[in-house]
Every structure is written in structure tokens, then in C-alpha cells.
Amino acid sequence: MNSKSMQSHHIHYASLGSPWSAKADKIQSATGIMLGCFLLAHLHFESSILLGKEAFYHVVQFLEGGLFTSSGHGMPIVTKVFSIFIMLVVIVHAAVALRRFPAQLGQWRALRRHMQGIKHKDSHAWFWQLVTGFILFFLAPVHIFTMITNPEIGPHLSAERVYHANAWLLYALLLPAVVIHAMIGLYRVALKWGLTANRRGLRKVAKILIIYLISIGVLSLVSYLIIGRELTLPITPFVP
């Protein structure tokens, strides 16, 4: 091996083991855990619509700080500020994750051929996390930006957004992508940082959570569509 080759190899391995690479891994894991836990909570809060309009209304008032207002009504500014925070976390997470994305079409094709030739389940899980991450790069900011610019939430207001503003098209694509990406991500983080060595059991839990979360998400979306179809414009916010 000549000196030029040795130098290029030295640079290559140095970059792989650089302090920044280790730090980026920690940042990616930390932000991924934050976003995964947020998704678990978010889908369950949203699914309160399945218990009726009044149940969802009270959940929204509680989350928006209704306990701290004299009227008992929540403050939409809470949703706006929290949405901005989530957007910043998503940006940081995406920024450190992009370094692992195939940069060229040929690399994607090579990766796809490689995946077809192996039967390693964790490698296939990583591939689908990569694909869903690419989808979320375009869809997630749209949803979050909508919540920043229009933070009003309620049974009627949310149903108006879903049905009359046709946001169900976005959510129908976003829901499976974000659930699959998040659950595979939490699975990989748990293995990577040694939280468990039981791959088979953890993989089963991840699959159950994916099916469960997509199910309650779809049922919630259908509920909003049914409510929205019964509403007439202009929308009157729901009050028990």
C-alpha cells in the first residue's frame, strides 16, 4: 500500500471513529427517544376522540394548561410553543441522521439489491426505518408547521382540519410512516445502548406496538372524518 492510500485509509477510519461521530450518535438516540415517547403520548391523546367529543375537549383543555386559568379553558399558545419545540427537535434529529442516508440514486439501488440478498431481520428493519425517515423528511414538517400557524384544537376544529381542509390525505400517509419509523428507532436504540439483549422479544413488542398505534390512529382519523362530515361551515367550536 502506497503512502497516498495509507493516508486516505487513515482519514477514512479517523472520520468513522471521530469524537463528533460518537456525539452525533448520542444526539440522534436522545432526540429519537424524545420523539418516540412524544408519538406514543400524542396518539393516545388524539384517540380520546373515540370516547366522544366531550372527552377529547377536556383532554385538550388539560394539555393546554386549563388548570392554570381562571376560566378553566386551555391556551392555544401552549400548543404553538410546544409545536415549535418539537420542530426544533425534529430538525436536530434529521440533521444528525442525514449523515447515514445514501446520497445518490446508485447507492439506493445498491442498498436495495443488498437487502434482497440477505435475510437479517435487523438489517431489513434498518432499511424500512431509512425509507420512512425519507418520507417523514417531507411530511412531518408540514404537519408541525400547521400546528404552529393554526394551533386551535378541539373536536370541531380538528374535524374541520381533517375533513374540510382535506388534511386526512396528509395524515393517511404520515401515520404509518411515523409509527414504523419511531417504533423501529426505539427498538434499535434499546439494543444499541444495551437496555436489553432479547432481540426476538423486543422485535415482537415493536410489531405489536406498530399494529396497535396504527389501529388507534386510523380509528381516530375516521372519527374526525365522521364528525367533520356532519359539520356545516363556518365551524362553531365545540363547548360541552
Side-chain angles (χ1 to χ4, degrees):
M1 182 180 295
N2 58 41
S3 59
K4 185 175 182 180
S5 299
M6 291 179 66
Q7 184 179 8
S8 63
H9 276 69
H10 173 73
I11 293 173
H12 173 67
Y13 290 119
S15 63
L16 290 177
S18 66
W20 161 243
S21 181
K23 186 179 294 185
D25 277 344
K26 292 179 180 179
I27 294 173
Q28 184 176 348
S29 296
T31 53
I33 291 172
M34 291 174 60
L35 293 172
C37 292
F38 165 72
L39 177 68
L40 286 169
H42 178 56
L43 288 178
H44 283 94
F45 290 142
E46 284 288 345
S47 68
S48 62
I49 191 66
L50 300 175
L51 302 176
K53 295 181 183 180
E54 188 169 346
F56 181 67
Y57 173 85
H58 288 299
V59 168
V60 171
Q61 302 311 310
F62 171 76
L63 293 176
E64 291 187 340
L67 293 175
F68 305 103
T69 63
S70 58
S71 63
H73 295 297
M75 300 171 286
I77 187 66
V78 174
T79 298
K80 181 188 287 284
V81 172
F82 190 74
S83 297
I84 293 173
F85 170 73
I86 291 296
M87 176 69 90
L88 293 175
V89 176
V90 168
I91 290 172
V92 173
H93 183 73
V96 294
L98 279 174
R99 74 193 197 281
R100 296 174 182 253
F101 268 60
Q104 299 176 352
L105 180 60
Q107 292 176 331
W108 277 97
R109 290 173 177 171
L111 176 61
R112 185 58 182 166
R113 287 195 300 268
H114 176 69
M115 298 305 301
Q116 291 173 348
I118 62 175
K119 302 299 180 181
H120 191 256
K121 292 183 179 180
D122 281 3
S123 296
H124 284 269
W126 176 80
F127 174 78
W128 284 111
Q129 191 184 23
L130 197 67
V131 171
T132 53
F134 180 78
I135 295 172
L136 292 175
F137 185 80
F138 298 97
L139 298 184
V142 176
H143 172 54
I144 300 173
F145 186 75
T146 299
M147 299 312 301
I148 293 174
T149 57
N150 186 17
E152 298 285 344
I153 302 174
H156 288 177
L157 297 173
S158 297
E160 177 190 19
R161 182 183 293 117
V162 171
Y163 183 80
H164 292 282
N166 292 315
W168 68 269
L169 293 168
L170 171 65
Y171 298 149
L173 297 173
L174 180 62
L175 176 63
V178 72
V179 169
I180 292 172
H181 185 82
M183 293 306 103
I184 292 178
L186 291 177
Y187 161 79
R188 296 183 67 236
V189 166
L191 292 177
K192 181 171 185 175
W193 299 106
L195 299 181
T196 181
N198 185 2
R199 291 176 180 265
R200 180 176 297 181
L202 191 59
R203 194 156 46 230
K204 185 177 295 186
V205 171
K207 290 179 180 178
I208 292 173
L209 282 174
I210 288 173
I211 295 171
Y212 165 68
L213 292 174
I214 290 178
S215 297
I216 64 171
V218 169
L219 290 174
S220 301
L221 188 59
V222 171
S223 295
Y224 288 122
L225 286 170
I226 293 173
I227 294 171
R229 187 175 59 183
E230 297 172 349
L231 297 175
T232 56
L233 299 176
I235 299 297
T236 302
F238 174 84
V239 178

